[in-house]
Amino acid sequence: MNKEGYSVRKYERPAKRYCQILEITDNPTLISRYRECHSKEHHWKEIRDGIRSVGILEMELYIYENKVFMIVDTEKDFEWDKAMAKLATLPRQTEWEAFVAELQGCDPSATSDQKWQLMERMFYLYDV
């Protein structure tokens, strides 16, 4: 647990944020494997490249027990449905989704957009 906090990337142009959640299989072995396949040492480069190629500026995953929270920062004109449709067609994306589906407890043929649930922001400290 990091009680020091995490650095936040700043953008020189307007950006927006999406938040998603996924409840994965509650099994310590599978959770450990899920963490490992998302590590710097074991991630799939093609997946990172594909995420960037659809216009995602930054993506972060946070985990608590078997709940995974994703933060996605994009440019202001980003179109979610269009980008997710494109992402699903990129090299190795289908293979990746099937691979992590076993660890997530999801249908292996489901796309990322079908598994992850978009969250609604209900509070913003600096809302004016």
Side-chain angles (χ1 to χ4, degrees):
M1 187 69 61
N2 179 344
K3 293 193 177 184
E4 299 298 318
Y6 300 94
S7 296
V8 177
R9 187 171 166 196
K10 294 189 184 231
Y11 305 101
E12 296 193 17
R13 56 193 178 274
K16 60 184 175 181
R17 173 169 286 170
Y18 296 88
C19 298
Q20 296 181 286
I21 193 162
L22 176 67
E23 191 167 317
I24 62 176
T25 304
D26 193 6
N27 173 308
T29 302
L30 295 180
I31 291 171
S32 177
R33 288 180 55 210
Y34 193 70
R35 285 175 172 270
E36 181 180 350
C37 72
H38 286 89
S39 69
K40 287 181 183 179
E41 299 80 19
H42 297 103
H43 73 273
W44 295 15
K45 183 182 180 319
E46 300 91 342
I47 301 307
R48 284 178 88 106
D49 292 345
I51 290 167
R52 287 187 182 114
S53 78
V54 300
I56 293 173
L57 301 172
E58 184 62 85
M59 179 184 284
E60 299 177 54
L61 294 176
Y62 294 84
I63 189 165
Y64 176 75
E65 296 177 351
N66 69 319
K67 293 157 194 66
V68 184
F69 177 67
M70 182 188 301
I71 298 171
V72 178
D73 290 343
T74 69
E75 293 197 21
K76 203 72 164 163
D77 63 351
F78 184 84
E79 296 178 46
W80 184 267
D81 290 338
K82 184 178 175 183
M84 291 304 107
K86 180 180 177 184
L87 183 65
T89 67
L90 296 179
R92 297 199 75 194
Q93 189 67 35
T94 302
E95 182 185 354
W96 169 257
E97 296 301 345
F99 171 72
V100 294
E102 175 190 342
L103 310 174
Q104 295 167 330
C106 298
D107 177 353
S109 65
T111 64
S112 176
D113 198 37
Q114 292 168 328
K115 296 186 272 188
W116 288 87
Q117 301 301 306
L118 279 171
M119 300 175 75
E120 177 183 354
R121 180 165 69 186
M122 60 179 227
F123 176 78
Y124 183 57
L125 183 61
Y126 294 100
D127 200 7
V128 198

